[in-house]
Structures are given as structure tokens and as C-alpha cells.
Amino acid sequence: MENKKQGLNTICTHYGELKDTEFKGAVSPLYMSTSYAFDDVEVKRYPRYFNTPNQVALSKKIAALEHTEAALIFGSGMAAISNSLMAFLKAGDHIVLQKTLYGGTYNLVSEEFEKFGIEFSFTDGLNSEDFEAKIKENTKVIYVETPSNPLLTITDLKAITALAKKYNLVTMIDNTFASPVNQNPIDFGIDIVIHSATKYMGGHSDILAGAVASTEKNIERIFQLGKNFGGNLSDYTVWLLERSIKTMGIRVKAQNENAQKMAEYLYENTDVEAVYYPGLPSHPDHELAKLQMKGFGGMLSFELNSKMDSYKFQQDLQLVKSSMSLAGVESTILSPTKTSHGLLSPEERENQGIKDGLIRFSLGIEEIEDLIADIAQAIAKQK
Ligand SMILES: *Cc1c(COP(=O)(O)O)cnc(C)c1O
């Protein structure tokens, strides 16, 4: 039954599921035990060791979705990111990170790494030369995020992995924005794929979780650190996440479609100054996105004409909610300057190309006509 050649939605629905042999229920039973009898003295089953039945089952599904041998599930995306980074970096090592990063990752590195003696550099641009320019003798890891938050920049995965090979470096990617539905970085030679499962995997804005997928060997290394740091996800939430992922394929494809149509609408709208969406031919990396992505994703950003008040615009929306986070089945919108990137200094934001009026849009699965009508009425109110 379990075969990685199955298609996306079959993997989402069934892969790794636990069998209810006693009652033959339709879904995986939930095992909440924190105490398990020793089958043999070697196997210590315990939630913090990432090896309860539900954790193991869901890890298999996530590994299959990302075309890897193994995966681990964490209590948050940041737990997956911090554990993966700390497993591959020690005092005296150096990491090169792309300049456009999720705000939390930027904060983790810039606020915490110094005390561990880990050196870091952010790139000046996104070309492989920009990454190469920052590589030092003690560099161990290259970290990328594509498409990035909030400007949807695209980093060339093949160029990054070629560079990593040349310098013998480990590559990590934050694949949250694409989700495994739209991008499988392993197929382009990336070593470690990280997700905030809070986003497209969860998909309903009610689960906080993270995941990392890679080879057995790399996952073992992250596990050895992770069991000491204690960042596992509770089994109940693991079980909910399994349920969410069953519909991830159809959800994300619907979100891709809505984002494409919304991007086209905004692009044609004379009240809109700029639209950032990799599915638009006008996006500078549209061709690259086509090469490495299967769909362009459900996220876009835009700037209204500078005469308009972007904060008031957001308040005037009726269907689209102004809120933190992203990737739920409901459409949400936010101002990166006021929220996700609010902790960055104005200079840091400017360096990442984030203007104060920028609006980040997470498309849900509502009817596109209703979403466009909502945007249109809120724009009309600004005139
Ligand atoms: C949300 C997010 C994270 C952090 O995930 P949490 O689940 O909130 O810890 C990391 N990277 C990206 C791109 C995100 O959107």
C-alpha cells in the first residue's frame, strides 16, 4: 500500500496512517500515552523522543510529501528551524543566510547566535554570487527561503546547491511559503527542508507546529539535539495535523488559483502601484519559479498607489480579515511593517525592500469573485 510513487492527494489522505485493528475506525487512532512498556530495552517510546505512534505515522507522511527518507515534527516552525540550525552549527562555525527571511528566523539568528559563539552573515542579494561572497573558511551552512516573506522573491535552488557542493556546505530551506504541494527542494539537491506546519500543512489557523524533512542521517542528527531541547508537538495536535494534511493538496491548489487571479486583478488595477507574485510574467524571477515550483503559491504582496492610505484600506475590508499569520482557508491581509517585520529597524526593513505601505495577502479558498469585490470596494473607499 505505502509507496512513495503514489500521487500527492493519495499521500496526503493515506500515507503513513495508523490502522485501527481493534475497531476498524476510518482514521488513525490517537495515542496520548506518555508511558509505554519496553518491548525491548533499547526502544524507549516517549513523546519528547519524537517516537510515539502518531508522531512516527505523521513523520512518514511528511517525508513522503517532501521526497525524503525521514522527517521530525516539532512544536512550532521556529522549533524546527532552531533545532535544525543548532544541530548543524557549533561555536566557531559560520552560517550564510539569505537577506529576505521570515522575521522570527532573522531574530533568532541576530539575537541568540552570538551567545553560542556562532558567526553569521546575511547576503546582500539573492544571486549565488551574493551567497558566495559571504562564504568564509568556517562556513558550514547555507540557509535560504523561497518564495520569501513578504516580497515573494525566488532563490535559485540549483545554483545554491551547486555552490554548497563546491564548498562542502549543508543547505537548509524554509519551504513554508511553497508547501510541499508547490515545491520539493530535495529534488534540486537541498539537504534539509523545514516547514512552519502552522501554515499550509495546518491550513485552518488553529494548529501551531513545525516539521523538518531530510535523510535518515540528518534527521538522526537533529533528533539527537531535539530530544535534549524538548520541542516536540503534543500527540493530540499531531493527530489534528494529520487530519489537516489530508486536504492540503486540494486546499493549496485552490489557494494557488485564487492568488493567480487576484495577482492578475491587482496588476491590471491602476490604483495599485506594485504586485509581487511569482506567477505573474512581470515578476523578475517568473521563469526561475516555473523551473523549480509546481504552483506559484497562495501568497502575494502589493502596494497601493501612494496617495491611498493602506492602513485604512485594510480596515475597510469586510470579507478579508486583517490578521497575523497566513495560509489558512480564510483570506487574510497584513502590513509587514506593523506585524511580521515590526521588530526589524526601519533600516533593516529598507534593506529587505519592505516599504511601509506594503500589504501582504494570504489567499484562502473563498470564491475569487467575492474576494475581488471586497478589494474593489475597499479601494473605492480610499478615493
Ligand atoms: C510562520 C513562519 C515561521 C515560524 O513558524 P511558527 O510555527 O510560527 O513558529 C517560519 N518561517 C516562515 C516562512 C513562516 O511563515
Side-chain angles (χ1 to χ4, degrees):
M1 254 312 271
E2 292 192 350
N3 136 28
K4 288 190 187 179
K5 296 217 165 54
Q6 286 174 335
L8 172 73
N9 284 320
T10 313
I11 295 174
C12 283
T13 317
H14 292 295
Y15 199 86
E17 67 193 336
L18 296 174
K19 289 196 173 45
D20 177 1
T21 47
E22 202 173 1
F23 299 107
K24 303 192 167 46
V27 304
S28 294
L30 165 59
Y31 295 92
M32 287 297 289
S33 293
T34 54
S35 172
Y36 291 85
F38 293 120
D39 285 339
D40 65 70
V41 215
E42 293 305 310
V43 184
K44 289 180 244 160
R45 209 177 281 286
Y46 189 56
R48 184 162 46 77
Y49 297 160
F50 302 88
N51 62 1
T52 57
N54 291 91
Q55 288 182 83
V56 172
L58 183 58
S59 297
K60 282 188 195 162
K61 194 193 287 289
I62 291 173
L65 285 167
E66 278 296 9
H67 305 173
T68 62
E69 291 171 4
L72 280 183
I73 301 147
F74 283 91
S76 69
M78 284 313 303
I81 291 168
S82 57
N83 279 272
S84 301
L85 287 171
M86 298 312 274
F88 283 84
L89 293 165
K90 60 180 187 320
D93 287 346
H94 173 257
I95 175 172
V96 177
L97 303 108
Q98 129 175 4
K99 73 167 184 175
T100 44
L101 277 187
Y102 175 71
T105 310
Y106 181 88
N107 292 340
L108 165 72
V109 171
S110 54
E111 292 172 13
E112 308 295 341
F113 273 23
E114 204 180 319
K115 73 171 93 132
F116 295 105
I118 299 167
E119 296 173 34
F120 55 90
S121 305
F122 294 102
T123 61
D124 297 324
L126 297 183
N127 294 324
S128 76
E129 303 83 67
D130 297 309
F131 283 84
E132 188 161 21
K134 301 289 177 181
I135 292 173
K136 307 201 298 186
E137 214 171 288
N138 55 342
T139 304
K140 295 288 157 59
V141 175
I142 298 185
Y143 187 98
V144 301
E145 186 178 320
T146 179
S148 76
N149 179 24
L151 287 172
L152 289 309
T153 61
I154 305 294
T155 310
D156 186 338
L157 295 179
K158 272 197 177 149
I160 293 297
T161 54
L163 192 63
K165 210 164 180 194
K166 181 169 159 196
Y167 292 94
N168 200 19
L169 309 175
V170 173
T171 47
M172 297 188 189
I173 184 171
D174 184 332
N175 203 33
T176 301
F177 265 40
S179 92
V181 178
N182 289 327
Q183 183 168 271
N184 292 123
I186 292 290
D187 299 343
F188 297 87
I190 295 286
D191 297 310
I192 295 169
V193 181
I194 307 172
H195 284 278
S196 168
T198 311
K199 312 298 162 52
Y200 289 103
M201 288 190 181
H204 297 73
S205 311
D206 55 8
I207 286 174
L208 191 89
V212 53
S214 188
T215 57
E216 296 273 9
K217 190 163 164 251
N218 288 339
I219 290 298
E220 172 66 18
R221 185 162 168 175
I222 297 166
F223 159 74
Q224 289 301 339
L225 178 111
K227 72 180 196 315
N228 294 334
F229 276 23
N232 68 283
L233 185 64
S234 116
D235 278 292
Y236 178 60
T237 317
V238 168
W239 183 84
L240 285 175
L241 186 56
E242 184 194 344
R243 184 178 71 171
S244 287
I245 292 178
K246 288 183 189 197
T247 57
M248 180 174 66
I250 55 171
R251 275 190 280 111
V252 170
K253 284 179 186 174
Q255 287 167 303
N256 288 347
E257 214 174 289
N258 275 353
Q260 182 72 41
K261 287 184 182 150
M262 182 58 76
E264 287 166 6
Y265 166 76
L266 293 169
Y267 186 74
E268 296 297 331
N269 193 317
T270 49
D271 297 316
V272 174
E273 191 79 34
V275 185
Y276 306 90
Y277 185 64
L280 286 180
S282 61
H283 187 288
D285 294 321
H286 178 60
E287 292 305 318
L288 178 58
K290 276 206 280 195
L291 285 178
Q292 62 191 38
M293 300 182 78
K294 291 175 271 188
F296 300 114
M299 300 295 302
L300 63 84
S301 293
F302 65 100
E303 288 153 19
L304 290 173
N305 190 310
S306 59
K307 289 186 288 264
M308 295 193 177
D309 182 338
S310 80
Y311 301 120
K312 197 172 161 296
F313 162 79
Q314 289 170 66
Q315 284 158 9
D316 286 333
L317 290 167
Q318 290 168 356
L319 176 62
V320 179
K321 290 191 190 109
S322 176
S323 93
M324 268 301 256
S325 209
L326 59 106
V329 290
E330 61 286 325
S331 293
T332 59
I333 212 155
L334 62 70
S335 153
T337 299
K338 297 224 160 163
T339 55
S340 61
H341 292 66
L343 293 173
L344 304 187
S345 67
E347 298 75 48
E348 285 166 331
R349 273 197 300 274
E350 192 183 302
N351 182 37
Q352 293 198 18
I354 301 167
K355 297 200 178 128
D356 279 350
L358 185 75
I359 295 169
R360 192 189 75 186
F361 199 167
S362 169
L363 276 294
I365 61 168
E366 302 94 336
E367 299 300 332
I368 188 66
E369 293 76 15
D370 296 333
L371 294 171
I372 287 176
D374 194 27
I375 297 297
Q377 66 80 24
I379 287 180
K381 282 196 182 132
Q382 312 314 312
K383 296 200 210 183

